[in-house]
Amino acid sequence: MVNQLFPLTVRGATTRHRGKTLVGPIDLDLDGQGTCVVLGPNGAGKTTLLRLLHGIARLNEGAITWACDQHAAQTSQAFVFQRPVMLRRSVLENLIYPLRIRGVSRSEARDRAERWAKRAGLGSMLDRPATFLSGGEQQKLALTRALIMDPQLVFLDEPSASLDGRATREIENILADTQKTGTRLILSTHDMGQARRLADQVIFMLGGRVHETGPAAPFFENPQTLEANAFLNGDIVE
Ligand SMILES: Nc1ncnc2c1ncn2[C@@H]1O[C@H](COP(=O)(O)OP(=O)(O)O)[C@@H](O)[C@H]1O
Ligand SMILES: [Mg+2]
């Protein structure tokens, strides 16, 4: 896959809400391959950072620059929300819908939807109303609905926040397959095991700022800041 999105350059990016700074100023350079995991305590700004990078949080100040133009960048990215938003229709229709609005024919959309549903282990639930699925199945459906568009980059906000071990493993298996195709992932998680399993790169957020960032292995072995060290030790960091 030709990746036209990266490098991503973020300079002084800031999001405010009613005069309060939620995140920023953020400076980041994202390059290369692999998965970037956003870590940090509750309220650190992980969700807002993902939304800001994806262009769904207001950029009050600064600049976010992709290697391609804004429109191309937007259409080659997908976002999986922490709480999946399902159409009140069947599993199959939930997968067909995003393809249809991008102009894919009904029959091809149906074929692709069936193939992807099977791959995600949802093949036996095609006709079931999506809102009847379990939490884990809904998250798999949300993820599949993002991947079916063949994005170059997928944002995932706490993709397994409320899931049990088995559902988490299934989600991670899908993510691992996705990584192999060269799709970049930027995901937030509070699950340190998941972070260690998936991360090539880490962004550690604190107080709305990037507190520490770099390649995953050195970060986990030898974090450079006291706060990251405390966070990795499971201490409360504010
Ligand atoms: N829509 C919003 N309106 C007002 N404040 C918000 C909103 N979303 C997030 N915040 C605040 O922004 C900060 C960052 O939140 P968030 O990005 O959700 O952090 P995290 O995902 O790391 O828990 C927090 O102080 C939170 O209370
Ligand atoms: Mg969050």
Side-chain angles (χ1 to χ4, degrees):
M1 185 198 312
V2 184
N3 202 322
Q4 340 150 315
L5 277 173
F6 291 91
L8 165 66
T9 311
V10 181
R11 292 291 176 269
T14 303
T15 295
R16 292 198 200 90
H17 182 76
R18 295 191 175 159
K20 179 181 173 246
T21 299
L22 304 188
V23 300
I26 303 278
D27 293 301
L28 268 179
D29 290 281
L30 285 183
D31 209 342
Q33 301 296 311
T35 293
C36 179
V37 172
V38 181
L39 292 173
N42 261 333
K46 302 181 295 297
T47 298
T48 309
L49 175 66
L50 297 187
R51 294 171 62 93
L52 185 60
L53 296 180
H54 186 52
I56 52 174
R58 191 184 304 136
L59 179 67
N60 291 101
E61 234 171 77
I64 296 174
T65 315
W66 302 92
C68 56
D69 71 66
Q70 196 66 28
H71 178 73
Q74 206 99 51
T75 54
S76 51
Q77 301 177 11
F79 198 106
V80 180
F81 294 92
Q82 182 167 357
R83 286 191 204 84
V85 187
M86 299 288 119
L87 298 179
R88 295 180 167 279
R89 297 190 201 164
S90 69
V91 168
L92 190 64
E93 287 298 333
N94 267 271
L95 293 174
I96 286 175
Y97 180 74
L99 294 168
R100 293 289 288 148
I101 56 176
R102 298 275 174 103
V104 178
S105 75
R106 175 104 199 146
S107 66
E108 195 198 325
R110 198 188 167 91
D111 281 355
R112 266 164 79 176
E114 285 178 0
R115 205 159 1 102
W116 276 86
K118 264 190 210 128
R119 215 186 279 183
L122 299 169
S124 63
M125 308 169 193
L126 291 177
D127 297 323
R128 206 174 293 175
T131 45
F132 285 15
L133 300 181
S134 72
E137 290 159 354
Q138 287 197 15
Q139 192 56 280
K140 279 197 288 185
L141 178 56
L143 179 54
T144 304
R145 201 172 47 185
L147 296 176
I148 203 169
M149 302 308 298
D150 198 21
Q152 292 183 38
L153 167 64
V154 184
F155 292 97
L156 302 115
D157 192 16
E158 309 251 6
S160 47
S162 52
L163 306 184
D164 64 16
R166 180 172 158 213
T168 299
R169 204 161 52 242
E170 287 173 353
I171 294 283
E172 285 188 19
N173 287 341
I174 299 173
L175 293 181
D177 284 345
T178 307
Q179 287 175 321
K180 283 184 208 137
T181 67
T183 304
R184 301 250 358 215
L185 307 175
I186 300 181
L187 69 106
S188 71
T189 185
H190 66 277
D191 176 343
M192 292 307 296
Q194 178 165 74
R196 285 171 194 270
R197 286 189 292 277
L198 295 174
D200 296 297
Q201 197 170 0
V202 171
I203 296 173
F204 176 64
M205 296 287 294
L206 195 61
R209 309 282 305 268
V210 175
H211 197 71
E212 184 169 340
T213 183
F219 175 85
F220 288 121
E221 256 158 58
N222 185 23
Q224 297 300 299
T225 60
L226 286 173
E227 292 80 6
N229 191 46
F231 182 77
L232 291 176
N233 284 330
D235 297 342
I236 294 168
V237 183
E238 281 168 312

